[in-house]
Amino acid sequence: MVKKKELFRPKLEGRVGMYVCGVTPYDLSHIGHARVYVTFDVLYRYLNYLEYEVCYVRNFTDVDDKIITRATDLGEDPITLSRRYCEEFKVDMVQLNCLPPSVEPRVSEHMPQIIDMIKQILDNGCAYQIDGDVYFSVDKFPDYGRLSGRSPEDNRAGERVAVDPRKKNPADFALWKSAKKGEPSWESPWGPGRPGWHIECSAMSAVYLGHSFDIHGGGMDLIFPHHENEIAQSCAACNRSDVGYWVHNGFVTVDMEKMSKSLGNFFTIRQVIELYHPLALRLFLIGTHYRSPINYSDVLLESASERIFYIYQTLDDCERVLSQSISPVIGDPIPLDILNSISKLENKFQVFMSDDLHTPVVLAAMSDPLKTINDLLHTRKGKKQAHRMDSLAALEKTVRNVLIVLGLLPTSYSKVLHQLREKALKRAKLTEDQVLQRIEERNSARKAKEYEKSDVIRRDLASVGIALMDSPDGTTWRPAIPLSMQEHQFAVS
């Protein structure tokens, strides 16, 4: 609302009420949706980490024009269609490791509360009826436009505002729509019909959080008209209505254009995770500050996949070494440089997460501790270091705690590493056996001193995202950014 960062002060000490506008379930969700709900999942996790008691409400808009249109096209009942896609959305959220909200209300289950709020707005003189429709009168709310910064002249009919010559002001918006043949409808004092788009969130947030709560969030595209209209109708229904902080995430773009179903330039979450691990997608999404736009590209997803493989491989190696040794007693003297590395990560985590969720800085801050873990695991000097096991255990615990809040901690490092390899093979259009066969051919070429042939095999695999690693124990492979993408990225930069 104030267009600047403010110190967070909840309305009730130790408790936070947060409402995030949910999906309209008429199709599979795209990665623009993924960004919204990963963003607010990170906020939810961080507030929990700070020991707030959080009531997180995320709705389903299961009554909407888009659902009715899609259901008509498919010859399906609109409510049945929306229920199906609600469940599909929940599956996507589990894949992205998003925690379930405290409450997930649906419009279809809150008609009495919605009708009561419309009646209150009418009673307060801020709405009017026309032939079974009820419209909000923006002229009755002088602060209209305060969130979006739009002037009344900007709100011309036809530009995200429905054209209807019966309206007193072209910017007036529907609170209740009279029933049309073949559409779902509910009884109301104004005749059968259904709610307009905006009233649902005002009503459901009031039910679960009251008229005054802390955080209201969603994508930047919701600032106008949705959130602007929410403010108007909520304040018209109750003059105590107040949201402490409005939080909006930036768009996911494709070729610098906003990704959306209406533009037809979207990728569903399912399409992306067919080739990339869901946690790689999550890392990609939080690798840019949530308020900045993020441009979708294969090379950035490849980079996220490579990075998350490195993180999990490091921690898996660490876990394996620790499990094979006598359990370390945390609290034994740890070298000062290790303590400094841990302290630096903990401080950066606290400072930058508290600074408007600056996740990219936190991700970068993990680099030094992860490098230190690898040095302790694999270098001659590291293996000889005093209190090595205590150091490894302390470093692993610190990194793990950061991953928990970022929503990047898997149930098993080894399982996700296997899945990341499988996704890399799928992108490379190769099988594990084919890669191993190429490694054998390269080993034979090296033994025969056919180094040119050996280099060609390495380069051919690297070109499709399979990096070979030679060690005294033999040659293994890991996923990597395909060489062709690296070269293109270098040329562009």
Side-chain angles (χ1 to χ4, degrees), residues 82-201:
S82 64
R83 281 181 188 150
R84 177 156 53 88
Y85 282 114
C86 285
E87 295 309 309
E88 297 290 0
F89 172 81
K90 288 181 179 180
V91 170
D92 289 341
M93 292 302 101
V94 170
Q95 290 272 32
L96 290 169
N97 204 28
C98 290
L99 297 172
S102 314
V103 192
E104 292 185 274
R106 304 187 186 201
V107 177
S108 61
E109 297 169 357
H110 290 78
M111 286 302 163
Q113 295 91 336
I114 291 169
I115 290 168
D116 284 347
M117 181 168 273
I118 295 172
K119 284 161 68 176
Q120 190 63 55
I121 295 169
L122 279 164
D123 290 346
N124 291 342
C126 294
Y128 56 94
Q129 304 174 52
I130 306 175
D131 305 327
D133 295 323
V134 181
Y135 284 100
F136 185 90
S137 178
V138 297
D139 293 331
K140 300 288 187 179
F141 188 67
D143 282 342
Y144 191 74
R146 190 158 59 103
L147 179 68
S148 62
R150 292 168 68 102
S151 66
E153 295 76 42
D154 294 328
N155 302 325
R156 295 186 296 272
E159 296 180 8
R160 303 196 73 182
V161 183
V163 178
D164 188 335
R166 302 174 303 161
K167 295 196 288 188
K168 294 179 180 179
N169 183 321
D172 293 349
F173 56 90
L175 299 175
W176 187 262
K177 297 179 177 182
S178 57
K180 294 182 178 66
K181 188 178 179 181
E183 294 185 356
S185 63
W186 287 260
E187 287 300 324
S188 79
W190 320 286
R194 57 188 172 87
W197 172 26
H198 317 292
I199 191 67
E200 61 187 66
C201 288

Side-chain angles (χ1 to χ4, degrees), residues 298-312:
D298 287 342
V299 70
L300 289 174
L301 275 168
E302 289 283 357
S303 178
S305 295
E306 183 180 60
R307 183 62 183 167
I308 209 154
F309 186 90
Y310 166 76
I311 293 169
Y312 295 154

Side-chain angles (χ1 to χ4, degrees), residues 297-300 302-303 306-307 458-459 461-468 478-493:
S297 72
D298 287 342
V299 70
L300 289 174
E302 289 283 357
S303 178
E306 183 180 60
R307 183 62 183 167
R458 176 191 280 274
R459 188 175 178 85
L461 289 172
S463 69
V464 292
I466 306 296
L468 299 185
R478 63 172 175 80
I481 303 172
L483 203 55
S484 56
M485 287 189 184
Q486 291 182 44
E487 290 167 349
H488 174 72
Q489 193 177 29
F490 178 76
V492 169
S493 62

